[in-house]
Amino acid sequence: MKTYLVTGGAGFIGSNFVLYMLKKYSDITIVNVDLLTYAGNLENLKSVENNENYHFVQADIGDSKAIQAIFDQYDIDYVVNFAAESHVDRSIKDPEIFVKTNVLGTLNLLNIAKEKWLVGDDLYKEGKKYLQVSTDEVYGSLGETGYFTEKTPLDPSSPYSASKTSADLLVKAYWETYKMPINITRCSNNYGPYHFPEKLIPLIIHNCLHHKEIPVYGNGENVRDWLFVEDHCKAIDMVVNQGRLGEVYNVGGHNERTNIEIVKLIIAYLQEHADSGITEDLITFVKDRKGHDLRYAIDPTKITNELGWEPETKFEDGIVRTINWYLENQDWMNHVTSGAYKAYYSKMYGQK
Ligand code: NAD
Ligand code: DAU
């Protein structure tokens, strides 16, 4: 019976991971530690809140007393660190919190896991592992061609990606210096249920349903490599359980799309299935994001060859599942966009 400490398990990917793991395994325990920032939402976890193998603790990953108490209460086997400030645009406006949570928070988790797991010089209790959930943004931007491999030099552009890179370097340092059992996964853009509507895909859906302008940065030709969130969860499960210690694994499904292509696809679907009044007239090209990375594209050869991971959900199916999830869960969207979201939106985009 393995015990997972999942941090940030009330956010978009974290809550999908908790749900995925508890559905797949009846013989694991998950301790979900989340500060419940604007991005964390316990509504996502309603279906498991009474599961006896699931425990929730509201805490900051940077709070050493709180994290130590969790390690004292539970015999933690795996740490899977999702907790982060995750939005590039917010990091451009206010970088400090990104360093506090993403860098210092990670360092705190590493220190406590090391202290609790170490039994002798460079010797750790059997079967322990720390997995850092990282991002392809640590590699910076690609031009028109090429892919990120695990050997691509780290070259982050935004304060967000710089903080994630710093965290990766600390995790690697704990492997090199202290031989701490670790893995790092670097995934491309996720999409799916519970995605907070500050991010492109849920923001498009939200604005369409409210007949609001859809802000497209620059010319809309930036490329992202989209992966259905469940496929990311599957990759993390495989890396925790089978990944070679000390290794980095890139995760992505070769699904590159320009932003404008995504915008038009969602408009077309909603126009046909929800409201014929949703048209491309909503598209509004706005000032570009500062330091906007042109293109991300992952080469997943290593995780495919070593662990047998492959994405299961085709984009054409995943995007329909996602849009339908938002159509069926408009209460969820209404809850997360009430209050603070309105202030955030007008700060970022004006009153439109
Ligand atoms: P998210 O913003 O939706 O969720 C982050 C979660 O972390 C929230 O529940 C929040 O409450 C929690 N949190 C924030 N600060 C905390 C703190 N100090 N202590 C404890 N909890 C805290 O983010 P997401 O999109 O689900 O991303 C999860 C992880 O995956 C992040 O580390 C991100 O860098 C990484 N990632 C995301 C993507 C993507 O496309 N979304 C792709 C690759 C990697
Ligand atoms: O690649 C992985 C990363 O993907 C993760 O590490 C980040 O946590 C996650 O937020 C995501 O970062 P992006 O910056 O790629 O995602 P976002 O949804 O913010 O933007 C996607 C693209 O859409 C990007 O080129 C910017 C553009 N965009 C975004 C918003 C919010 C717009 O054109 N208009 C918008 O309003």
Side-chain angles (χ1 to χ4, degrees), residues 203-220:
L203 186 135
I204 301 169
I205 299 170
H206 174 263
N207 285 18
C208 280
L209 295 176
H210 291 84
H211 288 226
K212 280 178 76 157
E213 289 182 355
I214 299 167
V216 177
Y217 299 161
N219 59 11

Side-chain angles (χ1 to χ4, degrees), residues 6 21 34 59 63 71 103 113 117 138 143 183 208 213 218 223 276-277 313 322 325 329 342:
V6 175
M21 293 297 281
D34 195 299
D63 178 342
F71 272 82
V103 186
W117 291 345
V138 299
N183 280 127
C208 280
E213 289 182 355
V223 172
S276 58
T313 304
T322 302
W325 185 86
N329 290 277
K342 289 201 173 81

Side-chain angles (χ1 to χ4, degrees), residues 12-150:
F12 163 46
I13 307 176
S15 52
N16 276 287
F17 181 73
V18 169
L19 298 173
Y20 174 88
M21 293 297 281
L22 288 174
K23 192 169 166 198
K24 180 164 176 192
Y25 301 103
S26 54
D27 61 346
I28 61 166
T29 296
I30 291 186
V31 183
N32 178 3
V33 177
D34 195 299
L35 185 58
L36 298 180
T37 68
Y38 77 92
N41 187 350
L42 290 180
E43 242 180 288
N44 306 356
L45 298 154
K46 272 240 158 300
S47 64
V48 294
E49 67 186 9
N50 295 322
N51 185 322
E52 58 184 17
N53 294 344
Y54 172 73
H55 310 277
F56 178 77
V57 181
Q58 183 174 4
D60 188 333
I61 55 164
D63 178 342
S64 49
K65 281 209 178 93
I67 302 299
Q68 261 164 7
I70 291 163
F71 272 82
D72 289 340
Q73 186 176 352
Y74 301 95
D75 181 14
I76 301 293
D77 296 298
Y78 298 142
V79 175
V80 184
N81 182 27
F82 291 96
E85 287 292 332
S86 67
H87 193 35
V88 173
D89 292 329
R90 288 184 192 254
S91 82
I92 294 167
K93 289 245 189 270
D94 182 12
E96 275 86 354
I97 185 69
F98 285 74
V99 174
K100 182 170 181 286
T101 293
N102 301 0
V103 186
L104 298 178
T106 296
L107 182 65
N108 186 49
L109 290 173
L110 287 168
N111 277 336
I112 293 169
K114 174 170 143 300
E115 181 191 312
K116 301 288 177 184
W117 291 345
L118 202 61
V119 286
D121 197 25
D122 289 348
L123 200 63
Y124 289 80
K125 289 182 190 163
E126 190 68 26
K128 307 290 183 187
K129 187 183 278 187
Y130 176 100
L131 187 148
Q132 178 72 2
V133 181
S134 187
T135 166
D136 58 1
E137 296 202 14
V138 299
Y139 298 120
S141 184
L142 289 166
E144 307 278 323
T145 58
Y147 295 96
F148 296 133
T149 73
E150 291 78 1

Side-chain angles (χ1 to χ4, degrees), residues 264-277:
K264 289 185 176 170
L265 190 153
I266 295 174
I267 291 176
Y269 185 86
L270 286 172
Q271 191 176 48
E272 192 181 335
H273 295 91
D275 174 352
S276 58

Side-chain angles (χ1 to χ4, degrees), residues 297-318:
I298 283 278
D299 176 352
T301 306
K302 180 174 173 180
I303 190 168
T304 302
N305 287 353
E306 279 192 20
L307 307 183
W309 177 86
E310 276 183 6
E312 279 170 22
T313 304
K314 284 205 291 253
F315 184 72
E316 291 68 21
D317 301 331

Side-chain angles (χ1 to χ4, degrees), residues 86-89 135-137 160 187-189 198-200 203 215-217 222 224 226 259 289 292 296 349:
S86 67
H87 193 35
V88 173
D89 292 329
T135 166
D136 58 1
E137 296 202 14
Y160 161 71
C187 189
S188 60
N189 285 64
E198 65 187 350
K199 308 284 168 46
L200 183 69
L203 186 135
V216 177
Y217 299 161
N222 298 68
R224 295 293 181 264
W226 294 96
N259 294 337
R289 174 184 276 176
H292 199 172
Y296 303 144
Y349 301 100

Side-chain angles (χ1 to χ4, degrees), residues 255-270:
N255 181 52
E256 292 177 49
R257 310 270 162 162
T258 62
N259 294 337
I260 195 69
E261 203 181 330
I262 298 276
V263 171
K264 289 185 176 170
L265 190 153
I266 295 174
I267 291 176
Y269 185 86
L270 286 172

Side-chain angles (χ1 to χ4, degrees), residues 165-191:
T165 308
S166 309
D168 282 16
L169 291 175
L170 283 168
V171 175
K172 182 172 176 291
Y174 272 58
W175 162 249
E176 300 291 347
T177 309
Y178 307 114
K179 303 290 169 267
M180 180 155 162
I182 62 98
N183 280 127
I184 298 172
T185 54
R186 296 189 179 133
C187 189
S188 60
N189 285 64
N190 286 209
Y191 69 98

